[in-house]
Amino acid sequence: MRRLARVRLATQVVRQLRKAGFKAVRYDARAFEVRFAPNIQQEPSIVDLAPLLAKSRKQVKSYLSGLTANPVPPTWQLARPLLRPVLRGCTPGTPLSRPALPYLFEYVVIDHPEAMTYVTAEQIDTWAVRPDEVFAAARSNLVGATLKSAPTEVVRFVDDGDAYWSSHLLLQHWLERLAPQVDGPPLAFVPERGTLLITSATSPHLRALFAQAEELYARSARPITPMAYVSDANGCTVPYTADPGHPLHHVVQRAQAILAVQEYARQATHLTEPAADLEVVGDDGAGWRTRAAWDEKSLLPTADEVIIGDRTIPWSELAPRLEPVTGLNPIRWQRG
């Protein structure tokens, strides 16, 4: 019944948007969202369908009517207070972006009450501002909330759609300021857009939290990353690492491998050339690694090992014979 309700809602939204004159309308079942734009050349707005499941058809219709009435602000003065940064994986189209963390990027969206629209390079040209100004303005619009309650083992930020908690990891020094709340150096998990978990990097329960983050990431319609993150010496968010021999070394390996596999798979759906798949292999005892089977005609993802014919070759042996494909992130390779 739930699946049928989701399909019915998506059908209603797609039909109403097309009736409103939007030519490029696409339903993403996995993310449970609809992307829409006046034409395929323009960057789409996104409507999250999950909050609409509990609404009546009349309420959905009213909601969409308000949503489609929100145009892109024509001037920088009007746009600036509406900008927000978002942390995402590879996103289709040509939105303004910059690398933020391994396999993840920082984008800027226009935060309307009912939807968000990705900012494009073409759009900032009309505002006559530089990309760095846009990113800085978006970050400055986050509240940067701090907590003052008694220390607790795990702090869970649940996003209501307006808080952009996952985006706070983009703010310099924000994560480290939560140290008193978790009674130790803060460590963050952001498995999906609506959940940010903060604990101490010295917590004895990190293994269980990695497992919880992986489960949330795997079942979410809006996943971000199963990895853990900490602050570096400059207050910037970076991946949590565990050297060989550390009790969490294989756990961290697994999270890194899962994220790489998912982001390369997401990228492949938008490529016009054949692309080799990436998979996770290994176990908790021996460790985890990534592997790709390559026919030398497809674009190769970065992997720990590559199968060519009946041979399995370590990346270090193959890398000198490869060259990166221009314009792809995450990087793919071809024969040099």
Side-chain angles (χ1 to χ4, degrees), residues 46-320:
I46 299 174
V47 54
D48 183 2
L49 298 180
L52 302 182
L53 275 172
K55 297 183 180 293
S56 67
R57 291 183 64 85
K58 184 176 181 180
Q59 288 174 319
V60 171
K61 184 176 181 180
S62 175
Y63 175 89
L64 293 176
S65 296
L67 182 152
T68 56
N70 289 311
V72 174
T75 67
W76 175 239
Q77 289 72 22
L78 293 173
R80 193 184 190 287
L82 300 177
L83 301 180
R84 302 290 187 275
V86 293
L87 185 65
R88 300 285 189 270
C90 182
T91 297
T94 56
L96 179 69
S97 68
R98 62 184 180 184
L101 292 162
Y103 300 105
L104 299 177
F105 303 85
E106 179 180 0
Y107 300 90
V108 176
V109 299
I110 300 169
D111 183 39
H112 293 302
E114 294 86 9
M116 67 178 189
T117 303
Y118 282 92
V119 173
T120 66
E122 293 77 9
Q123 184 60 56
I124 67 172
D125 285 343
T126 68
W127 293 335
V129 292
R130 300 186 310 274
D132 61 321
E133 292 180 85
V134 177
F135 285 112
R139 290 189 179 193
S140 71
N141 288 332
L142 290 183
V143 296
T146 57
L147 303 178
K148 298 181 180 179
S149 57
T152 185
E153 187 165 329
V154 179
V155 179
R156 182 174 183 136
F157 294 86
V158 179
D159 206 323
D160 60 1
D162 297 318
Y164 289 87
W165 287 122
S166 62
S167 301
H168 282 66
L169 294 182
L170 297 166
L171 299 180
Q172 191 173 7
H173 301 298
W174 182 80
L175 181 58
E176 67 182 27
R177 288 200 295 267
L178 295 180
Q181 183 62 33
V182 293
D183 199 21
L187 178 147
F189 292 95
V190 56
E192 50 102 23
R193 297 183 197 177
T195 303
L196 173 63
L197 303 173
I198 309 292
T199 189
S200 170
T202 61
S203 169
H205 305 296
L206 284 185
R207 185 179 296 273
L209 287 170
F210 266 97
Q212 180 182 353
E214 180 180 328
E215 181 182 357
L216 288 170
Y217 175 78
R219 74 185 188 198
S220 176
R222 305 180 299 170
I224 296 181
T225 171
M227 291 174 58
Y229 301 90
V230 293
S231 291
D232 67 9
N234 297 315
C236 298
T237 301
V238 295
Y240 171 77
T241 59
D243 294 332
H246 189 285
L248 294 178
H249 178 63
H250 291 169
V251 175
V252 173
Q253 271 187 329
R254 179 176 171 83
Q256 293 171 336
I258 289 173
L259 179 61
V261 167
Q262 294 301 318
E263 287 305 318
Y264 271 118
R266 189 201 303 259
Q267 181 194 61
T269 63
H270 306 294
L271 297 177
T272 57
E273 299 179 62
D277 294 330
L278 191 67
E279 64 175 344
V280 179
V281 296
D283 55 53
D284 288 331
W288 301 91
R289 60 194 185 279
T290 54
R291 176 191 290 165
W294 191 39
D295 59 9
E296 303 193 36
K297 297 178 182 178
S298 55
L299 304 182
L300 177 67
T302 304
D304 294 315
E305 58 189 36
V306 180
I307 299 175
I308 304 178
D310 58 357
R311 295 188 304 150
T312 300
I313 303 173
W315 185 261
S316 58
E317 180 180 328
L318 183 62

